[in-house]
Amino acid sequence: MSTNKYVELEPVSHAEADNRLSSSDQYLIARTLIVIGLYDEDWRWVQQHALRFLSHDSEIVISAAILSLAHTARVNRSIDKNVIVPALQAVAADPRFRGKVQDAIDDIEMYVKHS
């Protein structure tokens, strides 16, 4: 399976997302995190799941969790900055994620005017 192949992302229900996020397939988890960040209107629910995956073993999953938080901030214009920004800053201690985290924090600061 090529990881560079374009995959159409469609919205999923909470039940389907929960099922997918319970998988051991890092690519399925990553796609699901991105999908819920892009499409789900319940930013608190998205935030809860994305936070959980910021400490995953897979670099792909952690990157997707970061992106999910950025997407939900942009799409929903809401996120709990007091929880998310420190969590992202902790992830940024790992140089693999520093740029992604900074991009996510920039999106949060741009799109979320309240906490």
Side-chain angles (χ1 to χ4, degrees):
M1 178 175 139
S2 171
T3 58
N4 294 327
K5 182 181 174 199
Y6 176 78
V7 176
E8 185 71 33
L9 299 175
E10 299 286 336
V12 296
S13 68
H14 283 193
E16 180 62 24
D18 286 335
N19 184 47
R20 292 179 183 185
L21 293 172
S22 297
S23 168
S24 60
D25 180 341
Q26 68 181 346
Y27 297 104
L28 181 60
I29 294 168
R31 281 192 306 272
T32 304
L33 287 167
I34 292 167
V35 163
I36 65 175
L38 283 170
Y39 295 113
D40 204 289
E41 295 177 2
D42 185 350
W43 64 267
R44 287 181 178 91
W45 183 83
V46 175
Q47 173 181 291
Q48 172 190 351
H49 285 293
L51 277 171
R52 186 175 110 211
F53 286 100
L54 286 177
S55 60
H56 197 271
D57 292 336
S58 166
E59 183 175 345
I60 291 164
V61 171
I62 295 169
S63 295
I66 295 166
L67 186 57
S68 180
L69 291 166
H71 283 326
T72 203
R74 181 178 47 80
V75 171
N76 292 303
R77 306 275 200 254
S78 294
I79 207 159
D80 187 343
K81 288 184 184 181
N82 295 328
V83 171
I84 297 304
V85 172
L88 287 171
Q89 289 169 333
V91 174
D94 184 328
R96 296 175 298 170
F97 304 113
R98 199 164 290 140
K100 291 175 179 77
V101 165
Q102 189 56 58
D103 289 345
I105 290 173
D106 289 348
D107 282 355
I108 290 166
E109 292 302 322
M110 180 181 300
Y111 294 109
V112 180
K113 302 303 179 200
H114 63 282
S115 188

